Amino acid sequence: MAQPLPPVPGIRLSAVPARIKDWQRDDLLLIEIAEGASVSATFTQNAFCAAPVLVAKAHIRQGDIRALLINAGNANAATGERGLKTAQQSCEGVAEELSIQARQVLPFSTGVIGEHLPVQKILDALPGAVDNLQADAWDTAARAIMTTDTRPKTASRTLDIAGETITIAGIAKGAGMIQPNMATMLAYVATDARIAQPVLDNLVKEAVSASFNRISVDGDTSTNDACVLIASGATGGAIAPDSEAYAQLKAALIDVHIELAQAIVKDGEGATKFVTVQVNNAASSEEALRMAFEIGESPLVKTALYASDPNWGRLVMAIGNAGAENLDTSKISVFLDEVQIVEAGGRAESYTEEAGQKVFEQSAFTITVDLQRGDASEHIWTCDFSHEYVTINAEYRT
Amino acid sequence: MAQPLPPVPGIRLSAVPARIKDWQRDDLLLIEIAEGASVSATFTQNAFCAAPVLVAKAHIRQGDIRALLINAGNANAATGERGLKTAQQSCEGVAEELSIQARQVLPFSTGVIGEHLPVQKILDALPGAVDNLQADAWDTAARAIMTTDTRPKTASRTLDIAGETITIAGIAKGAGMIQPNMATMLAYVATDARIAQPVLDNLVKEAVSASFNRISVDGDTSTNDACVLIASGATGGAIAPDSEAYAQLKAALIDVHIELAQAIVKDGEGATKFVTVQVNNAASSEEALRMAFEIGESPLVKTALYASDPNWGRLVMAIGNAGAENLDTSKISVFLDEVQIVEAGGRAESYTEEAGQKVFEQSAFTITVDLQRGDASEHIWTCDFSHEYVTINAEYRT
């Protein structure tokens, strides 16, 4: 794990064991946010979105959010009316303890789908959670929200803006079911800078688009995903969206999102490789991104990555499957890091299996496709498909 | 394997070893078609379609096809100009041996992508192949076209039409990379009935839509897929498309296609389960089919099938991911065979893990989703995702 995360003024955290499942670990995280903060979020696009997502969406629309409550072990998804009620109850529990209103609490759940949330356990754990709130608890927080993750995911930055030190800290969880549009992934990023609500609303979308919407572990999208960005406003004055300070802060915030997103891919279920897929000179950004995902999500490409087998036929197949209209395959080049494997749509003259294999044997590398038909370029991050992936997913519930 | 396939008057076959790879087996199949036959085909929609596909498409457009040449072990895909030339050369070789024209030959290749076809080996094997042509060779033909298939795939029917016995025989190959729109799959179905070219052209599309376009092993589409339907015309008079005889023949032909398609799923790489996904009462056929594939291709659903784990949360997640607009999840029911697992969007009151598990432990079962929002119903066939799948695909080339 990286170095400990710094406190973010205006934010306190508390991780406690609520025994959501029969385990010995922190599984409930409470995040308290100072009055006057801006809070923005993006949520899963799965039609079967979970009860806490529905409740969180309704609450955040009213603004003035003061607390987040996150539990691991149970997703409270596909739980019908009763699920909505338990999500609401947990917000009420937090509200009572913190003397705020229930609509000022955002609930989040991650874990098994379709089982009822043991809400009483959560309510019982809340007083202890509130007593335990502290600024310096980001690292235990990162552990409390883990499910099949093998390690906590954290990232931070500090910046000097107008003579003030501004801090950014972020945590994330998610390993399986990672896909664009927010897949079983939870991320919480906070800064003490002051950013107006509409500015933050745009910023979270841009940050997610540059980070969590560019990763893929297995192409499935979950019912519970959410990414929350908090600007507590505890330090310094409001940062105007056209200022140099804002540009600097925005870049750092996006960096933190990217670092967290990459950490999720690197911890993909059973993953042994971290692979960047870059598509250059496409006709449009949409075309480039679709092709990058087609390559990065193909089970045949992913098993070839696992085998350290530079099976360029599978790469070419995935390129051909990406729905790019009137694709002139004779113009296509493909590179594995600096090694050219495809030239003019066929195997590059200079290519040797040995050189390709050397690249694929690395734990991290880049596959670059050049379509030579436009000026749009996009990239995604993916991982390989291993025996371990099947084992984890075939045995998850038992 | 099923009972031996019967000869189809007007068709002769010959399987020989051309040593395309370093192996001891038949890997070259020649099919000779009587003069006056109708031949129709559908081909891969992958933009990177293989050299033989390009040549076969150009040839079939001119009609009057008299021979098919199929090799296993090398796909002649992504092989550029040289690939086109070798495909053309193999047609010329057949033409010379059979005293026909090269444009009357359709070439097909399956195997590793991106390596040059050893065309001289094919040319050398052709005289022996021609000497060996016989009507009664469907079963050895089915073996000669196998790649990662663990067993040959055959199906046949005989019908009595207007006092004549009409025969249908078919063979197919394909195990990995199976997906709608013709994925690394080759199928050849022949009948001795006389069917006019335009009628047969429609029939092959309908038959493929009802069979090979409804199967999925891993969601990838290959560069080489093709399905060919031959009506040799050797028996009986022309069958009018509005006749009872045609309806009967068409039903039997579609049955043969479905039997071959299902055999491919059952032999899916590493597959241990054969699963029908049925979506009922959708708003449109497109919506129903898309959802059936979303479920049938989800790696998380497929690993749950492998584990015999009726993880209904993953089913619900896949339903939610299928892009059905304004889906009212509270109306959704899901059944595992006759066992109701989801009712009104939540876990069915009557459901028990034991009952669900009993269904999932079978080698074949049906998952039925009822959306209660329209009257369109569609189904697909899929298989599970096993350790063996990863092993096969991580080691295919070595």
Side-chain angles (χ1 to χ4, degrees):
Chain A
M1 201 171 129
Q3 56 190 37
L5 292 193
V8 177
I11 306 289
R12 293 197 304 162
L13 311 95
S14 173
V16 293
R19 304 277 158 84
I20 305 288
K21 285 177 75 170
D22 183 23
W23 56 19
Q24 306 287 332
R25 51 163 276 196
D26 293 341
D27 54 6
L28 188 67
L29 171 63
L30 179 63
I31 303 180
E32 184 202 44
I33 303 165
E35 215 172 340
S38 300
V39 179
S40 299
T42 61
F43 295 96
T44 180
Q45 293 182 17
N46 191 303
F48 246 111
C49 70
V53 171
L54 293 171
V55 172
K57 278 177 159 179
H59 286 184
I60 203 168
R61 241 178 263 129
Q62 302 170 65
D64 204 11
I65 298 304
R66 295 291 312 283
L68 314 182
L69 183 70
I70 306 114
N71 74 270
N74 183 309
N76 193 8
T79 42
E81 283 300 317
R82 184 169 152 193
L84 286 170
K85 203 177 145 201
T86 54
Q88 191 60 41
Q89 280 177 305
S90 62
C91 293
E92 283 159 12
V94 172
E96 194 169 321
E97 291 294 327
L98 293 179
S99 302
I100 55 175
Q101 295 180 58
R103 66 164 179 79
Q104 295 181 289
V105 183
L106 303 183
F108 304 88
S109 296
T110 178
V112 174
I113 298 175
E115 290 180 11
H116 287 296
L117 186 69
V119 67
Q120 193 56 51
K121 290 183 177 177
I122 290 175
L123 297 177
D124 291 346
L126 281 177
V130 171
D131 286 345
N132 187 43
L133 280 167
Q134 46 195 303
D136 197 12
W138 283 97
D139 294 295
T140 54
R143 288 180 184 277
I145 61 174
M146 287 165 62
T147 54
T148 57
D149 307 66
T150 67
R151 46 183 182 266
K153 293 155 190 75
T154 63
S156 68
R157 295 284 186 285
T158 54
L159 298 86
D160 186 80
I161 291 183
E164 305 265 13
T165 298
I166 294 290
T167 305
I168 303 169
I171 59 174
K173 64 86 41 181
M177 296 210 282
I178 306 309
Q179 207 236 10
N181 308 320
M182 316 298 308
T184 301
M185 192 220 68
L186 296 175
Y188 303 93
V189 178
T191 176
D192 51 343
R194 179 173 300 276
I195 305 175
Q197 187 68 47
V199 177
L200 197 72
D201 287 346
N202 285 331
L203 211 160
V204 72
K205 278 181 210 143
E206 245 184 286
V208 167
S209 159
S211 59
F212 300 111
N213 280 356
R214 287 174 180 272
I215 62 177
S216 164
V217 174
D218 61 18
D220 278 320
T221 303
S222 127
T223 51
N224 290 59
D225 311 321
C227 178
V228 181
L229 178 56
I230 305 164
S232 77
T235 306
I239 297 180
D242 53 359
S243 64
E244 177 56 34
Y246 178 74
Q248 198 186 337
L249 178 62
K250 176 177 154 178
L253 278 166
I254 289 179
D255 271 0
V256 164
H257 282 77
I258 290 175
E259 198 175 323
L260 292 173
Q262 292 188 343
I264 288 175
V265 176
K266 286 173 186 166
D267 196 21
E269 287 171 351
T272 70
K273 305 271 167 78
F274 176 78
V275 180
T276 303
V277 181
Q278 173 83 41
V279 177
N280 291 336
N281 299 314
S284 66
S285 279
E286 198 183 28
E287 175 179 290
L289 205 53
R290 181 170 169 192
M291 187 173 289
F293 273 116
E294 188 74 34
I295 297 166
E297 292 182 348
S298 158
L300 285 166
V301 170
K302 286 164 87 83
T303 45
L305 296 176
Y306 172 55
S308 296
D309 169 12
N311 189 318
W312 72 288
R314 295 186 188 177
L315 291 172
V316 149
M317 177 211 64
I319 292 168
N321 269 343
E325 268 179 59
N326 303 317
L327 187 66
D328 182 351
T329 59
S330 74
K331 283 188 174 171
I332 295 175
S333 299
V334 182
F335 296 82
L336 314 178
D337 280 352
E338 307 302 314
V339 176
Q340 182 159 18
I341 181 164
V342 174
E343 184 175 16
R347 181 201 287 252
E349 289 290 339
S350 58
Y351 180 71
T352 62
E353 286 269 330
E354 199 191 347
Q357 183 117 17
K358 216 172 203 174
V359 175
F360 263 47
E361 275 167 359
Q362 301 171 105
S363 60
F365 52 89
T366 298
I367 297 171
T368 304
V369 177
D370 190 332
L371 299 181
Q372 292 180 50
R373 67 192 218 125
D375 52 15
S377 293
E378 295 290 345
H379 61 272
I380 63 139
W381 300 289
T382 190
C383 61
D384 58 336
F385 225 161
S386 69
H387 281 287
E388 193 59 16
Y389 173 84
V390 176
T391 301
I392 291 168
N393 284 295
E395 292 167 12
Y396 178 53
R397 288 210 314 181
T398 55
Chain B
M1 200 173 132
Q3 56 190 38
L5 292 192
V8 177
I11 306 289
R12 293 198 305 163
L13 311 96
S14 173
V16 293
R19 305 276 158 84
I20 306 288
K21 285 176 74 169
D22 183 23
W23 56 18
Q24 306 287 330
R25 51 163 276 194
D26 293 341
D27 54 8
L28 188 68
L29 171 63
L30 180 63
I31 302 180
E32 183 203 45
I33 302 165
E35 214 172 338
S38 300
V39 179
S40 298
T42 61
F43 295 96
T44 182
Q45 293 181 18
N46 190 302
F48 245 111
C49 69
V53 171
L54 292 171
V55 172
K57 278 177 157 178
H59 286 183
I60 203 167
R61 241 178 263 131
Q62 303 170 66
D64 206 10
I65 298 303
R66 295 293 310 285
L68 315 181
L69 184 70
I70 305 115
N71 74 270
N74 183 309
N76 193 9
T79 43
E81 283 299 318
R82 183 168 152 195
L84 286 170
K85 202 177 148 202
T86 54
Q88 191 59 40
Q89 279 177 307
S90 63
C91 293
E92 283 159 12
V94 172
E96 194 169 320
E97 291 295 326
L98 293 178
S99 301
I100 56 175
Q101 294 180 56
R103 66 163 178 81
Q104 295 181 289
V105 183
L106 303 182
F108 304 87
S109 296
T110 178
V112 174
I113 298 176
E115 291 180 11
H116 286 296
L117 185 70
V119 68
Q120 193 56 49
K121 290 182 178 179
I122 290 175
L123 297 176
D124 291 347
L126 282 175
V130 170
D131 286 347
N132 186 42
L133 281 165
Q134 45 195 306
D136 198 10
W138 283 96
D139 294 294
T140 54
R143 287 181 183 279
I145 61 174
M146 287 166 62
T147 54
T148 57
D149 306 68
T150 66
R151 45 184 183 265
K153 292 153 191 76
T154 63
S156 68
R157 296 286 185 283
T158 54
L159 298 87
D160 185 81
I161 291 182
E164 305 266 15
T165 298
I166 295 291
T167 305
I168 302 169
I171 60 175
K173 65 85 39 180
M177 297 209 283
I178 307 308
Q179 207 238 11
N181 307 320
M182 316 298 305
T184 302
M185 195 220 61
L186 296 175
Y188 304 93
V189 178
T191 176
D192 52 341
R194 180 172 298 276
I195 305 175
Q197 187 67 47
V199 178
L200 198 72
D201 287 346
N202 285 329
L203 211 161
V204 73
K205 277 181 212 145
E206 244 184 286
V208 167
S209 160
S211 59
F212 299 110
N213 280 356
R214 285 172 181 272
I215 63 177
S216 164
V217 173
D218 62 18
D220 277 320
T221 303
S222 127
T223 50
N224 290 58
D225 311 320
C227 178
V228 181
L229 178 55
I230 306 164
S232 77
T235 305
I239 297 180
D242 54 359
S243 64
E244 177 57 33
Y246 178 74
Q248 198 187 336
L249 178 62
K250 176 178 156 179
L253 279 165
I254 289 179
D255 271 1
V256 165
H257 281 77
I258 289 175
E259 197 174 322
L260 292 172
Q262 293 188 343
I264 288 174
V265 176
K266 287 172 185 166
D267 196 20
E269 285 171 353
T272 69
K273 304 272 167 76
F274 175 77
V275 180
T276 303
V277 181
Q278 173 84 40
V279 176
N280 291 335
N281 299 315
S284 66
S285 280
E286 199 184 25
E287 174 179 290
L289 205 53
R290 181 169 168 192
M291 188 174 289
F293 273 116
E294 188 73 33
I295 297 167
E297 292 182 350
S298 158
L300 286 167
V301 170
K302 286 163 86 83
T303 45
L305 296 176
Y306 172 55
S308 296
D309 169 14
N311 189 317
W312 72 287
R314 296 186 188 178
L315 292 172
V316 149
M317 176 211 64
I319 292 168
N321 268 343
E325 270 179 60
N326 303 317
L327 187 65
D328 181 352
T329 59
S330 74
K331 283 187 174 173
I332 296 175
S333 298
V334 183
F335 296 82
L336 313 176
D337 278 353
E338 308 302 313
V339 176
Q340 182 159 17
I341 181 165
V342 173
E343 186 176 14
R347 183 201 287 251
E349 288 291 337
S350 59
Y351 180 71
T352 63
E353 286 271 329
E354 198 192 349
Q357 183 118 15
K358 215 173 203 173
V359 175
F360 263 47
E361 274 168 359
Q362 300 170 106
S363 61
F365 52 89
T366 299
I367 297 170
T368 305
V369 177
D370 191 332
L371 299 181
Q372 293 181 52
R373 67 193 219 126
D375 52 14
S377 293
E378 295 291 346
H379 61 271
I380 64 138
W381 301 288
T382 189
C383 60
D384 57 336
F385 226 161
S386 69
H387 281 289
E388 192 60 16
Y389 174 85
V390 176
T391 302
I392 292 168
N393 284 296
E395 293 168 10
Y396 177 54
R397 289 209 315 179
T398 53

